[in-house]
Protein backbone atom coordinates (compact mmCIF):
# COMPACT_ATOMS: atom_id res chain seq x y z
CA UNK A 1 0.00 0.00 0.00
CA UNK A 2 1.33 3.43 -0.95
CA UNK A 3 1.13 5.69 2.12
CA UNK A 4 3.30 8.49 0.72
CA UNK A 5 0.30 10.86 0.56
CA UNK A 6 0.26 10.97 4.37
CA UNK A 7 3.61 12.80 4.36
CA UNK A 8 2.99 16.51 4.66
CA UNK A 9 5.00 19.69 5.27
CA UNK A 10 5.73 20.01 8.98
CA UNK A 11 5.82 23.83 8.92
CA UNK A 12 2.16 24.12 7.81
CA UNK A 13 -1.14 22.92 9.27
CA UNK A 14 -2.65 19.98 7.40
CA UNK A 15 -6.40 19.39 7.07
CA UNK A 16 -7.10 15.68 7.41
CA UNK A 17 -10.55 14.23 6.74
CA UNK A 18 -11.62 10.63 7.25
CA UNK A 19 -14.89 9.58 5.66
CA UNK A 20 -16.63 6.23 5.85
CA UNK A 21 -19.80 5.12 4.08
CA UNK A 22 -20.96 1.58 3.36
CA UNK A 23 -17.68 0.23 4.86
CA UNK A 24 -15.59 2.26 2.36
CA UNK A 25 -13.06 4.36 4.25
CA UNK A 26 -11.34 7.31 2.54
CA UNK A 27 -8.63 9.56 3.95
CA UNK A 28 -8.08 13.05 2.52
CA UNK A 29 -5.09 15.33 3.22
CA UNK A 30 -5.53 18.99 2.21
CA UNK A 31 -8.33 18.03 -0.19
CA UNK A 32 -6.42 15.18 -1.89
CA UNK A 33 -7.48 11.55 -1.40
CA UNK A 34 -4.44 9.66 -0.09
CA UNK A 35 -5.99 6.36 1.02
CA UNK A 36 -9.04 4.23 0.25
CA UNK A 37 -10.00 0.78 1.49
CA UNK A 38 -13.18 -1.30 1.66
CA UNK A 39 -13.56 -2.82 5.14
CA UNK A 40 -14.56 -6.47 5.43
CA UNK A 41 -16.82 -5.89 8.45
CA UNK A 42 -18.76 -2.98 9.85
CA UNK A 43 -16.44 -1.35 12.42
CA UNK A 44 -19.33 -0.33 14.69
CA UNK A 45 -19.44 2.90 16.68
CA UNK A 46 -16.46 5.08 17.59
CA UNK A 47 -15.04 3.93 20.93
CA UNK A 48 -12.17 6.43 21.08
CA UNK A 49 -9.60 8.36 19.09
CA UNK A 50 -5.83 8.04 19.29
CA UNK A 51 -3.20 10.07 17.47
CA UNK A 52 0.29 8.72 17.00
CA UNK A 53 3.13 10.55 15.30
CA UNK A 54 6.53 9.28 14.26
CA UNK A 55 8.44 12.53 14.64
CA UNK A 56 6.87 15.98 14.81
CA UNK A 57 3.09 16.22 15.10
CA UNK A 58 0.32 18.19 16.77
CA UNK A 59 -3.50 18.24 16.60
CA UNK A 60 -5.12 21.69 16.57
CA UNK A 61 -8.84 20.84 16.32
CA UNK A 62 -11.21 17.89 15.93
CA UNK A 63 -14.75 17.52 14.61
CA UNK A 64 -16.80 14.33 14.68
CA UNK A 65 -19.81 14.32 12.37
CA UNK A 66 -22.28 11.72 11.15
CA UNK A 67 -24.95 12.31 8.53
CA UNK A 68 -24.71 16.08 8.96
CA UNK A 69 -24.95 16.03 12.77
CA UNK A 70 -21.89 17.28 14.66
CA UNK A 71 -21.21 15.19 17.77
CA UNK A 72 -18.01 16.92 18.87
CA UNK A 73 -16.23 20.05 17.73
CA UNK A 74 -13.48 21.86 19.50
CA UNK A 75 -9.93 22.96 19.83
CA UNK A 76 -7.59 20.49 21.45
CA UNK A 77 -5.20 23.15 22.74
Amino acid sequence: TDLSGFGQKVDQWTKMEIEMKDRLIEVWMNGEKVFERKLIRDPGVIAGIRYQFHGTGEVRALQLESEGKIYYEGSLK
Side-chain angles (χ1 to χ4, degrees):
T1 302
D2 179 10
L3 301 178
S4 62
F6 284 93
Q8 300 292 313
K9 295 179 182 180
V10 297
D11 62 339
Q12 299 174 10
W13 286 106
T14 300
K15 182 177 182 181
M16 179 181 187
E17 298 178 65
I18 302 170
E19 299 177 7
M20 190 174 74
K21 185 174 183 180
D22 300 324
R23 295 189 342 246
L24 177 67
I25 188 166
E26 297 176 330
V27 180
W28 301 76
M29 305 289 275
N30 292 325
E32 180 181 337
K33 188 185 330 182
V34 297
F35 182 80
E36 177 180 276
R37 171 87 30 100
K38 183 78 170 180
L39 301 176
I40 296 169
R41 302 185 276 274
D42 184 339
V45 298
I46 294 174
I49 295 175
R50 179 179 70 177
Y51 294 97
Q52 182 175 346
F53 300 98
H54 294 280
T56 303
E58 183 176 3
V59 176
R60 181 170 59 177
L62 172 68
Q63 178 177 307
L64 299 176
E65 176 184 330
S66 179
E67 298 178 3
K69 181 178 178 185
I70 296 174
Y71 289 90
Y72 175 85
E73 182 174 39
S75 173
L76 300 177
K77 282 190 146 190

